[in-house]
Amino acid sequence: MLKNIILAASVLILSACTNTPDWDYDKSVEFANYKTFAWSADADLKNNGGNAYQINDLMEKRVRNAIIEAMLKHNIKLVEAKNADILVNYHASVDSKIEADSFNTSYTARWNYWGFGYQTQTHAREYDVGTLVIDVIDKTSNQLVWRGAKEGRLRNKQTPDQRTASVNKTVSAILGNFPPSQTH
């Protein structure tokens, strides 16, 4: 019984994590000063543990285009690294997770006698979860000033348009708090 409660709680926690991006930033930074960005030398989906089928050059291009589009909405333009105020780094990871469903069933009759009891059935499924992390680094100090991440279940058998829409939605959600609204 305790095992089933722990499994159910784990599934609920996992479900809660997939909907909301996670952000962190340096409150002492004046983000309004940032007008230009360039790619960090480390910005690459495949360099940081991205070894799943979906992490490839096509996905790399989608992520970069989505970041450029999201930054332009905040009037932050892509420029050469030597002219940039900030550097943007990103990476992805894919982990396998297990989802379990437990069902309690009751019965009232058995062969030769009447009784009452419970039977528990548990079904487990393995699936892939991808996490995309976007870092913003102050170019002058070379310090991380903002980080956003979002985790989500990876879907197979998507069209290129569906994959692009999914990446755009994820990047937009992650960068939804960049630059952060600061209240000192």
PDB file of all heavy atoms in Angstrom, residues 10 32 48 59 62 71-72 92 94-95 98 116 128 135 141 147 170 172:
ATOM      1  N   SER A  10       4.983  10.112  -6.923  1.00  0.00           N
ATOM      2  CA  SER A  10       6.050  10.358  -7.892  1.00  0.00           C
ATOM      3  C   SER A  10       5.482  10.760  -9.250  1.00  0.00           C
ATOM      4  O   SER A  10       5.987  11.661  -9.907  1.00  0.00           O
ATOM      5  CB  SER A  10       6.919   9.116  -8.065  1.00  0.00           C
ATOM      6  OG  SER A  10       7.537   8.791  -6.858  1.00  0.00           O
ATOM      7  N   ALA A  32      17.848  45.239 -18.374  1.00  0.00           N
ATOM      8  CA  ALA A  32      17.457  46.222 -19.385  1.00  0.00           C
ATOM      9  C   ALA A  32      18.656  46.712 -20.197  1.00  0.00           C
ATOM     10  O   ALA A  32      18.478  47.243 -21.297  1.00  0.00           O
ATOM     11  CB  ALA A  32      16.760  47.401 -18.711  1.00  0.00           C
ATOM     12  N   ASN A  48      26.078  18.023 -24.623  1.00  0.00           N
ATOM     13  CA  ASN A  48      25.810  17.924 -23.190  1.00  0.00           C
ATOM     14  C   ASN A  48      24.870  16.778 -22.852  1.00  0.00           C
ATOM     15  O   ASN A  48      23.893  16.949 -22.153  1.00  0.00           O
ATOM     16  CB  ASN A  48      25.236  19.253 -22.683  1.00  0.00           C
ATOM     17  CG  ASN A  48      26.218  20.379 -22.865  1.00  0.00           C
ATOM     18  OD1 ASN A  48      27.295  20.346 -22.305  1.00  0.00           O
ATOM     19  ND2 ASN A  48      25.865  21.357 -23.675  1.00  0.00           N
ATOM     20  N   MET A  59      16.996  19.429 -35.109  1.00  0.00           N
ATOM     21  CA  MET A  59      16.465  19.970 -33.852  1.00  0.00           C
ATOM     22  C   MET A  59      17.300  21.158 -33.391  1.00  0.00           C
ATOM     23  O   MET A  59      16.769  22.134 -32.868  1.00  0.00           O
ATOM     24  CB  MET A  59      16.424  18.872 -32.793  1.00  0.00           C
ATOM     25  CG  MET A  59      15.620  19.249 -31.571  1.00  0.00           C
ATOM     26  SD  MET A  59      13.880  19.643 -31.917  1.00  0.00           S
ATOM     27  CE  MET A  59      13.231  18.049 -32.339  1.00  0.00           C
ATOM     28  N   ARG A  62      16.101  24.165 -35.160  1.00  0.00           N
ATOM     29  CA  ARG A  62      14.806  24.602 -34.617  1.00  0.00           C
ATOM     30  C   ARG A  62      14.989  25.375 -33.310  1.00  0.00           C
ATOM     31  O   ARG A  62      14.348  26.398 -33.089  1.00  0.00           O
ATOM     32  CB  ARG A  62      13.912  23.393 -34.381  1.00  0.00           C
ATOM     33  CG  ARG A  62      13.378  22.758 -35.625  1.00  0.00           C
ATOM     34  CD  ARG A  62      12.465  21.565 -35.295  1.00  0.00           C
ATOM     35  NE  ARG A  62      12.024  20.920 -36.506  1.00  0.00           N
ATOM     36  CZ  ARG A  62      12.472  19.742 -36.928  1.00  0.00           C
ATOM     37  NH1 ARG A  62      13.346  19.049 -36.209  1.00  0.00           N
ATOM     38  NH2 ARG A  62      12.024  19.233 -38.059  1.00  0.00           N
ATOM     39  N   MET A  71      14.061  36.122 -28.499  1.00  0.00           N
ATOM     40  CA  MET A  71      14.891  37.273 -28.102  1.00  0.00           C
ATOM     41  C   MET A  71      14.486  38.534 -28.858  1.00  0.00           C
ATOM     42  O   MET A  71      14.474  39.630 -28.291  1.00  0.00           O
ATOM     43  CB  MET A  71      16.367  36.964 -28.325  1.00  0.00           C
ATOM     44  CG  MET A  71      16.898  35.910 -27.377  1.00  0.00           C
ATOM     45  SD  MET A  71      16.799  36.437 -25.662  1.00  0.00           S
ATOM     46  CE  MET A  71      18.390  35.957 -25.095  1.00  0.00           C
ATOM     47  N   LEU A  72      14.150  38.394 -30.141  1.00  0.00           N
ATOM     48  CA  LEU A  72      13.728  39.557 -30.925  1.00  0.00           C
ATOM     49  C   LEU A  72      12.460  40.186 -30.357  1.00  0.00           C
ATOM     50  O   LEU A  72      12.280  41.401 -30.439  1.00  0.00           O
ATOM     51  CB  LEU A  72      13.522  39.169 -32.389  1.00  0.00           C
ATOM     52  CG  LEU A  72      14.788  39.060 -33.226  1.00  0.00           C
ATOM     53  CD1 LEU A  72      14.479  38.515 -34.617  1.00  0.00           C
ATOM     54  CD2 LEU A  72      15.507  40.401 -33.311  1.00  0.00           C
ATOM     55  N   ALA A  92      20.490  20.063 -23.989  1.00  0.00           N
ATOM     56  CA  ALA A  92      19.336  19.199 -23.759  1.00  0.00           C
ATOM     57  C   ALA A  92      19.803  17.863 -23.214  1.00  0.00           C
ATOM     58  O   ALA A  92      20.947  17.449 -23.428  1.00  0.00           O
ATOM     59  CB  ALA A  92      18.572  18.989 -25.064  1.00  0.00           C
ATOM     60  N   VAL A  94      18.070  13.778 -22.320  1.00  0.00           N
ATOM     61  CA  VAL A  94      16.935  12.869 -22.427  1.00  0.00           C
ATOM     62  C   VAL A  94      17.120  11.777 -21.391  1.00  0.00           C
ATOM     63  O   VAL A  94      18.181  11.171 -21.292  1.00  0.00           O
ATOM     64  CB  VAL A  94      16.836  12.253 -23.843  1.00  0.00           C
ATOM     65  CG1 VAL A  94      15.705  11.238 -23.915  1.00  0.00           C
ATOM     66  CG2 VAL A  94      16.656  13.351 -24.887  1.00  0.00           C
ATOM     67  N   ASP A  95      16.091  11.570 -20.601  1.00  0.00           N
ATOM     68  CA  ASP A  95      16.107  10.526 -19.580  1.00  0.00           C
ATOM     69  C   ASP A  95      14.890   9.633 -19.763  1.00  0.00           C
ATOM     70  O   ASP A  95      13.833  10.087 -20.196  1.00  0.00           O
ATOM     71  CB  ASP A  95      16.045  11.141 -18.176  1.00  0.00           C
ATOM     72  CG  ASP A  95      17.254  12.007 -17.878  1.00  0.00           C
ATOM     73  OD1 ASP A  95      18.377  11.509 -18.029  1.00  0.00           O
ATOM     74  OD2 ASP A  95      17.063  13.175 -17.502  1.00  0.00           O
ATOM     75  N   ILE A  98       9.627   6.111 -15.777  1.00  0.00           N
ATOM     76  CA  ILE A  98       8.626   5.050 -15.690  1.00  0.00           C
ATOM     77  C   ILE A  98       7.345   5.654 -15.137  1.00  0.00           C
ATOM     78  O   ILE A  98       7.355   6.370 -14.136  1.00  0.00           O
ATOM     79  CB  ILE A  98       9.110   3.899 -14.796  1.00  0.00           C
ATOM     80  CG1 ILE A  98      10.326   3.230 -15.435  1.00  0.00           C
ATOM     81  CG2 ILE A  98       7.989   2.885 -14.568  1.00  0.00           C
ATOM     82  CD1 ILE A  98      10.946   2.126 -14.628  1.00  0.00           C
ATOM     83  N   PHE A 116     -14.744 -10.874   1.155  1.00  0.00           N
ATOM     84  CA  PHE A 116     -14.509  -9.525   0.667  1.00  0.00           C
ATOM     85  C   PHE A 116     -13.005  -9.303   0.626  1.00  0.00           C
ATOM     86  O   PHE A 116     -12.291  -9.657   1.565  1.00  0.00           O
ATOM     87  CB  PHE A 116     -15.173  -8.503   1.603  1.00  0.00           C
ATOM     88  CG  PHE A 116     -15.082  -7.099   1.100  1.00  0.00           C
ATOM     89  CD1 PHE A 116     -15.877  -6.666   0.053  1.00  0.00           C
ATOM     90  CD2 PHE A 116     -14.184  -6.208   1.661  1.00  0.00           C
ATOM     91  CE1 PHE A 116     -15.794  -5.375  -0.418  1.00  0.00           C
ATOM     92  CE2 PHE A 116     -14.097  -4.918   1.205  1.00  0.00           C
ATOM     93  CZ  PHE A 116     -14.913  -4.492   0.157  1.00  0.00           C
ATOM     94  N   ASP A 128      10.368   8.529 -22.665  1.00  0.00           N
ATOM     95  CA  ASP A 128      11.485   9.462 -22.636  1.00  0.00           C
ATOM     96  C   ASP A 128      11.009  10.861 -22.268  1.00  0.00           C
ATOM     97  O   ASP A 128       9.972  11.323 -22.746  1.00  0.00           O
ATOM     98  CB  ASP A 128      12.182   9.524 -24.002  1.00  0.00           C
ATOM     99  CG  ASP A 128      12.979   8.268 -24.310  1.00  0.00           C
ATOM    100  OD1 ASP A 128      13.424   7.609 -23.351  1.00  0.00           O
ATOM    101  OD2 ASP A 128      13.153   7.952 -25.502  1.00  0.00           O
ATOM    102  N   ASP A 135      20.775  29.053 -20.951  1.00  0.00           N
ATOM    103  CA  ASP A 135      21.561  29.890 -20.047  1.00  0.00           C
ATOM    104  C   ASP A 135      21.880  31.212 -20.722  1.00  0.00           C
ATOM    105  O   ASP A 135      22.153  31.247 -21.924  1.00  0.00           O
ATOM    106  CB  ASP A 135      22.893  29.218 -19.691  1.00  0.00           C
ATOM    107  CG  ASP A 135      22.722  27.977 -18.839  1.00  0.00           C
ATOM    108  OD1 ASP A 135      21.755  27.917 -18.068  1.00  0.00           O
ATOM    109  OD2 ASP A 135      23.563  27.071 -18.948  1.00  0.00           O
ATOM    110  N   SER A 141      31.472  39.910 -17.725  1.00  0.00           N
ATOM    111  CA  SER A 141      31.921  39.219 -16.512  1.00  0.00           C
ATOM    112  C   SER A 141      32.096  37.714 -16.711  1.00  0.00           C
ATOM    113  O   SER A 141      32.643  37.033 -15.855  1.00  0.00           O
ATOM    114  CB  SER A 141      30.932  39.469 -15.377  1.00  0.00           C
ATOM    115  OG  SER A 141      29.694  38.826 -15.655  1.00  0.00           O
ATOM    116  N   ARG A 147      18.979  31.530 -15.954  1.00  0.00           N
ATOM    117  CA  ARG A 147      18.837  30.153 -16.442  1.00  0.00           C
ATOM    118  C   ARG A 147      17.357  29.790 -16.449  1.00  0.00           C
ATOM    119  O   ARG A 147      16.629  30.082 -15.503  1.00  0.00           O
ATOM    120  CB  ARG A 147      19.593  29.171 -15.557  1.00  0.00           C
ATOM    121  CG  ARG A 147      19.284  27.707 -15.916  1.00  0.00           C
ATOM    122  CD  ARG A 147      20.144  26.746 -15.184  1.00  0.00           C
ATOM    123  NE  ARG A 147      21.348  26.557 -16.010  1.00  0.00           N
ATOM    124  CZ  ARG A 147      22.261  25.636 -15.771  1.00  0.00           C
ATOM    125  NH1 ARG A 147      22.164  24.855 -14.734  1.00  0.00           N
ATOM    126  NH2 ARG A 147      23.308  25.513 -16.573  1.00  0.00           N
ATOM    127  N   THR A 170       8.077  25.346 -26.424  1.00  0.00           N
ATOM    128  CA  THR A 170       8.961  25.099 -25.277  1.00  0.00           C
ATOM    129  C   THR A 170       9.902  26.272 -25.046  1.00  0.00           C
ATOM    130  O   THR A 170      10.043  26.758 -23.916  1.00  0.00           O
ATOM    131  CB  THR A 170       9.759  23.801 -25.484  1.00  0.00           C
ATOM    132  OG1 THR A 170       8.837  22.716 -25.609  1.00  0.00           O
ATOM    133  CG2 THR A 170      10.702  23.539 -24.333  1.00  0.00           C
ATOM    134  N   SER A 172       9.584  29.354 -26.081  1.00  0.00           N
ATOM    135  CA  SER A 172       8.786  30.515 -25.676  1.00  0.00           C
ATOM    136  C   SER A 172       8.423  30.439 -24.194  1.00  0.00           C
ATOM    137  O   SER A 172       8.471  31.447 -23.480  1.00  0.00           O
ATOM    138  CB  SER A 172       7.528  30.594 -26.536  1.00  0.00           C
ATOM    139  OG  SER A 172       6.746  31.688 -26.174  1.00  0.00           O
TER     140      SER A 172
END
